[in-house]
Amino acid sequence: MDGFFAYITGWSLPAIVCLLVGLGLMIFEMFTPGMGLPGLLGAGALIAAVVLRADTFASALITLALIIVILAIAAFFIYRSFQKGAISRSQIVLNDTIEEKSTSLSDDAAKELIGLEGECLTALRPSGNADFDGRRLDVVSAGEFIEKGSRVRIEAVEGLRILVKKI
């Protein structure tokens, strides 16, 4: 118990400030993608806290272990909250999924489209938009440039790719 008390009383004000600022910045970085400025500043502040507190090698290892444990606990709760908590219900988490039905047109829908004639709403270079009886579709030509306003016919449907030809 005497060693623990000596460790606690060995903290100076700058070391405590570096520790708290570093932990705060690292936890903030857990919410933002990539290793940005808060993460780099937080890592620097934590290194400074270890150096400022390290009067012995043992105290430096204890401080490092303390930092790792606190960050691991924070990461666990943040990860859990992303999956089940309030963060998972927030606007920053994408909850939509792509289903098999949304990645291709059904055979019946594809057969309906083949042969329809419409007008290009944008120039096709080779992709763009065309209007088919009030239905706006993303379409692609066979590689050729088709001007805006040109009449086109749907030749084939491959997955979500609608191939058109100028008429």
Side-chain angles (χ1 to χ4, degrees), residues 71-133:
L71 289 178
I73 291 169
F76 170 77
F77 283 111
I78 290 169
Y79 176 75
R80 186 169 177 217
S81 182
F82 270 127
Q83 288 192 329
K84 300 178 183 177
I87 294 174
S88 69
R89 294 184 297 275
S90 74
Q91 295 178 353
I92 65 170
V93 177
L94 178 64
N95 291 319
D96 296 333
T97 58
I98 297 177
E99 299 174 1
E100 183 179 345
K101 291 183 255 177
S102 67
T103 58
S104 66
L105 296 170
S106 68
D107 289 337
D108 295 334
K111 288 177 187 174
E112 281 179 19
L113 295 176
I114 295 174
L116 285 180
E117 294 182 4
E119 181 179 333
C120 291
L121 298 174
T122 63
L124 304 185
R125 306 168 193 235
S127 65
N129 296 315
D131 179 58
F132 298 91
D133 298 325

Side-chain angles (χ1 to χ4, degrees), residues 124 132 139-142 152-155 162-166:
L124 304 185
F132 298 91
V139 297
V140 64
S141 69
V152 291
R153 179 183 302 120
I154 297 178
E155 297 292 317
I162 301 171
L163 182 66
V164 297
K165 186 175 186 178
K166 186 175 181 178

